[in-house]
């Protein structure tokens, strides 16, 4: 009964080709000793270059993805092997992360890890992979995983608490939750069409890592995981 967690349309991608010659990109690439196309797009470094990109407000935030992944991968649910984590990117790649993976807490090391992943296709390059990446759209990912139910969190959804929304997933074999991995804007029509249920959990737009952490915790509560783990501490 693993929970399938998808961080969708995430602001994580290598610098697109049309920006390779922009001064801010060239400067960053030279400082890092890498090709422009081998570094991650980062709004804090490449904001002037990004102004004319399509969906620019949804792109260039690898820090958002990093923080969200730390929140879910460090959860008791993941430590119990009951979470499967996927990052769908804005440029239609899917990163699959093994539950045993310990992601770098340092942001710069995380950036280096993802850049290596894009270059090699898996990390580590040799041996059993902890992270893999493939060219895949969100609809293709959902079709491949074949979840029982897809619950998507969006400001355009039906108002419900996270507890209410997640409670119904506890008895399913392969439930999926989808959280937006972008800082601003809305899900694409494709993403919205894949959801069996769309839920809005707050009148304000909450950060992805806040939603993600609360979703995982409420699922833990729904399946009785906190009490089960604490029972191991009790003496017979």
């Amino acid at each position: 009964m693993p929970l399938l967690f998808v961080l969708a349309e995430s602001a994580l991608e290598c610098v697109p080709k049309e920006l390779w010659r922009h001064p801010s990109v060239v400067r960053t690439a030279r400082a890092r000793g890498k090709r422009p196309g081998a570094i991650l797009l980062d709004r804090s470094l490449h904001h002037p270059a990004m102004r004319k990109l399509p969906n620019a407000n949804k792109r260039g935030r690898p820090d958002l993805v990093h923080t969200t992944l730390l929140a879910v991968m460090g959860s008791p649910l993941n430590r119990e092997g009951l979470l499967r984590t996927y990052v769908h990117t804005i440029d239609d790649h899917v990163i699959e992360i093994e539950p045993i993976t310990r992601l770098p807490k340092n942001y710069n090391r995380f950036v280096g890890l993802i850049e290596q992943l894009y270059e090699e296709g898996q990390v580590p390059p040799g041996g059993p992979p902890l992270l893999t990446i493939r060219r895949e759209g969100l609809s293709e990912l959902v079709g491949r995983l074949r979840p029982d139910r897809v619950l998507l969190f969006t400001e355009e959804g039906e108002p419900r608490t996270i507890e209410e929304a997640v409670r119904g997933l506890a008895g399913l074999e392969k439930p999926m939750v989808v959280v937006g991995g972008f800082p601003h804007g809305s899900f694409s029509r494709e993403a919205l069409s894949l959801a069996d249920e769309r839920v809005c959990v707050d009148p304000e737009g909450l950060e992805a890592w806040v939603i993600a952490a609360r979703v995982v915790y409420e699922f833990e509560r729904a399946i009785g995981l906190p009490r089960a783990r604490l029972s191991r501490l009790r003496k017979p």
Side-chain angles (χ1 to χ4, degrees):
M1 186 188 56
L3 177 66
L4 307 176
F5 175 85
V6 180
L7 193 65
E9 300 184 353
S10 299
L12 184 72
E13 62 183 309
C14 289
V15 174
K17 188 173 182 177
E18 59 264 39
L19 303 186
W20 288 359
R21 294 187 178 183
H22 191 278
S24 65
V25 172
V26 172
R27 184 166 52 250
T28 305
R30 284 178 178 169
R32 306 253 334 268
K34 293 191 173 188
R35 296 178 293 104
I39 62 175
L40 293 186
L41 184 67
D42 190 326
R43 180 169 293 279
S44 66
L45 301 171
H46 310 132
H47 177 72
M50 293 177 59
R51 290 174 182 169
K52 295 183 179 180
L53 277 180
N55 292 318
N57 62 329
K58 294 178 67 173
R59 303 170 73 170
R61 287 292 305 276
D63 61 304
L64 182 156
V65 177
H66 180 224
T67 304
T68 305
L69 289 178
L70 289 179
V72 300
M73 295 297 294
S75 67
L77 189 69
N78 187 62
R79 294 179 184 224
E80 293 287 334
L82 296 175
L83 185 70
R84 298 293 181 269
T85 304
Y86 304 86
V87 178
H88 165 258
T89 70
I90 193 75
D91 63 343
D92 276 339
H93 285 83
V94 169
I95 299 170
E96 185 169 350
I97 308 173
E98 290 297 314
I100 62 171
T101 305
R102 295 292 176 259
L103 292 173
K105 293 181 173 61
N106 179 274
Y107 173 66
N108 291 328
R109 287 186 59 209
F110 172 77
V111 168
L113 178 75
I114 300 301
E115 290 172 348
Q116 181 187 25
L117 180 63
Y118 267 97
E119 286 280 334
E120 303 289 346
Q122 69 174 57
V123 173
L130 294 174
L131 293 89
T132 56
I133 188 169
R134 64 168 73 186
R135 173 71 74 173
E136 190 172 45
L138 185 58
S139 59
E140 294 170 302
L141 173 65
V142 174
R144 175 165 63 91
L145 298 180
R146 305 176 101 182
D148 300 326
R149 187 168 185 79
V150 179
L151 176 62
L152 183 143
F153 292 87
T154 170
E155 294 177 52
E156 302 170 33
E158 176 187 353
R160 299 181 70 189
T161 67
I162 294 181
E163 179 184 9
E164 291 169 341
V166 172
R167 189 187 301 139
L169 302 179
L172 301 178
E173 185 177 346
K174 290 175 70 177
M176 175 183 284
V177 295
V178 179
V179 175
F182 45 87
H184 305 288
S186 303
F187 275 111
S188 66
R189 290 183 179 179
E190 177 193 5
L192 294 172
S193 71
L194 295 170
D196 295 303
E197 185 177 5
R198 306 174 202 168
V199 175
C200 176
V201 297
D202 196 88
E204 298 183 41
L206 300 178
E207 302 283 4
W209 57 84
V210 175
I211 297 290
R214 293 185 179 190
V215 165
V216 169
Y217 176 64
E218 289 297 347
F219 188 77
E220 291 172 353
R221 290 185 62 205
I223 64 174
L225 185 60
R227 288 186 180 278
R229 283 175 64 90
L230 283 173
S231 68
R232 300 171 194 168
L233 297 176
R234 296 174 186 146
K235 297 180 180 179

